[in-house]
Structures are given as C-alpha cells and as structure tokens.
Amino acid sequence: MAFDVGGNKGGGVRPTMNVTPLVDVVLVLLIIFMVVTPLMTKNLWMNVPAKPDKKEDTPPPPPDAKPPVVLTVDKAGTLRINHEEVPRDQVVVRLQRMLNARADKIVFFDASDAVPYGSAMEVLDLARGGNITVAVLPERLAD
C-alpha cells in the first residue's frame, strides 16, 4: 500500500490504492477466458451413409415407383414441393395430402447454399409441426 505524504492542508497521511495487483488479476482472467472460450463451442456431428460407388450396378427403380417428395427453399425464401411453388401457409396441408396417398411417409428437405440458417430451420420446424418426418438431403440435387 502506498501513502501520499504531502500536498494537503491537514498535513496527514492519505492512503492511495496500488492498482498493479488489480491489473495482474484482470490480465490472468483475460488469458483464462481466451483459452476457455474456444472449448465451449458446440459441435453437431452427423453420420451420413457413404456414397455408393459408381462401379456397382444398382437396379433401376420399378416403373410404377413414385418419385420422392422433396421440399426445397431457394435463396429468395420461396418454398417448392417437387419443383412446384407453394405458399408458406399451405405447405403443411399439401405435404400431408401428398403423404396420405403414399406408402413411404418421408419428405426430403433441400435448401440453397444462400439461404440463412434460421430461415431453413423455420421451414423444417413448419414441416415438423405437421407431424411430418423430414430427412435432410446430404448433397445438392441436380437442378
């Protein structure tokens, strides 16, 4: 602790605070937070099945097989079901109607790379809110 000995009219000793230990503590805390912060990020791991080799002869789908139902979102936020534009308030009703006529009850989801993450999640939540099973496509569809 330091003391100020002169300059006041009372002639007494006035204590002043030494800030060096405070600065030391703040710098140590800063270093601790800089080291710990990258460790606090959350990772999302997704297991995607391996892509089949081109060498394998995969049998073509049967001629009476229905194409899969694909819900897509483009960068403008337009929703499409199998390349047909659908208003946002009618998406769930249209998907449920389409899935009632099918044996498989799965809708595949694809979003453009330019779509913000929040917008894509809103569309997924919209579909999931209608009790629809949604599968995310691991690679881009051929346009």
Side-chain angles (χ1 to χ4, degrees):
M1 188 182 253
F3 292 97
D4 188 11
V5 186
N8 62 2
K9 296 180 181 175
V13 179
R14 191 178 76 191
T16 58
M17 184 176 175
N18 189 0
V19 294
T20 304
L22 176 66
V23 171
D24 291 343
V25 169
V26 169
L27 287 176
V28 168
L29 288 174
L30 177 67
I31 292 171
I32 289 172
F33 285 126
M34 287 173 55
V35 170
V36 171
T37 301
L39 301 175
M40 294 174 52
T41 59
K42 302 230 184 275
N43 291 329
L44 176 66
W45 297 99
M46 183 185 318
N47 293 326
V48 179
K51 190 175 184 180
D53 293 334
K54 299 287 182 182
K55 299 174 193 174
E56 293 181 13
D57 292 328
T58 55
D64 61 341
K66 295 181 181 178
V69 178
V70 180
L71 174 65
T72 58
V73 182
D74 63 4
K75 63 182 176 183
T78 306
L79 300 177
R80 288 184 167 79
I81 298 176
N82 291 348
H83 300 292
E84 180 184 339
E85 191 171 328
V86 178
R88 189 175 292 264
D89 58 344
Q90 294 179 6
V91 169
V92 175
V93 175
R94 296 271 299 269
L95 286 174
Q96 288 174 340
R97 214 175 329 140
M98 291 175 80
L99 293 178
N100 284 337
R102 300 174 65 93
D104 60 334
K105 306 289 186 196
I106 297 176
V107 173
F108 293 97
F109 177 74
D110 187 31
S112 170
D113 292 337
V115 173
Y117 179 76
S119 299
M121 293 282 66
E122 286 176 10
V123 174
L124 280 173
D125 288 341
L126 183 70
R128 292 290 308 252
N131 285 332
I132 297 171
T133 303
V134 180
V136 178
L137 291 175
E139 58 187 45
R140 293 209 40 82
L141 286 175
D143 291 328

